[in-house]
Amino acid sequence: MSKVSFFSKVIFSIFFLFSLNAQANLMSDCNATAAEINKSVPQKIDKVTTLLNSICTNDTGAVTLVYRNKLDVASGSVKQEQISSLKPGMINTLCTDPSLRVLINTFNVRYTYSDSSGRFIGQVDLNKKECR
């Protein structure tokens, strides 16, 4: 093995280990954020929406803070398209409120919605690239 090849492998290994450590730290920070949010759930958000809890996932190498919401609506009365229509307002809020901007700069954010029977309706995924 040449010295260049050996050093390339060493550098790659170090970079990979730092990357894993950074990802673990992000997940730890996300879990701490979710735990703080979960101290005040369930929480009524509006007339039909209740925040049930929050969790963290590691989707495709990105840490995501997930807000799990229940809508007080009949099964089948709300579709993914209606959930998706909320996205522009969510982007505006997350990207312009300084305290929330820190959140979206750190983690991806997902809002999931289920109906009153617990049946999944849809979700909205957000990340910092959507902030202009």
Side-chain angles (χ1 to χ4, degrees), residues 35-56:
E36 194 63 32
I37 292 166
N38 289 337
K39 289 179 180 177
S40 61
V41 297
Q43 181 179 2
K44 195 80 168 156
I45 303 300
D46 59 34
K47 204 162 38 167
V48 298
T49 310
T50 301
L51 175 63
L52 299 175
N53 66 7
S54 61
I55 60 169
C56 295

Side-chain angles (χ1 to χ4, degrees), residues 59-89:
D59 296 341
T60 63
V63 175
T64 302
L65 176 63
V66 181
Y67 290 95
R68 295 184 55 244
N69 296 282
K70 180 181 80 172
L71 300 178
D72 188 19
V73 297
S75 185
S77 64
V78 175
K79 305 286 185 222
Q80 174 65 53
E81 295 77 29
Q82 293 161 294
I83 299 297
S84 295
S85 72
L86 301 172
K87 189 171 183 173

Side-chain angles (χ1 to χ4, degrees), residues 105-123:
N105 282 341
T106 309
F107 318 115
N108 290 339
V109 176
R110 174 177 296 146
Y111 294 90
T112 65
Y113 295 89
S114 60
D115 63 27
S116 55
S117 68
R119 185 178 196 152
F120 179 78
I121 299 170
Q123 68 186 38

Side-chain angles (χ1 to χ4, degrees), residues 8 12 21 25 28 33-34 49-50 62 64 67 71-72 76 86 102 125:
S8 295
F12 174 78
N21 189 40
N25 288 340
S28 177
T33 300
T49 310
T50 301
T64 302
Y67 290 95
L71 300 178
D72 188 19
L86 301 172
V102 170
D125 292 310

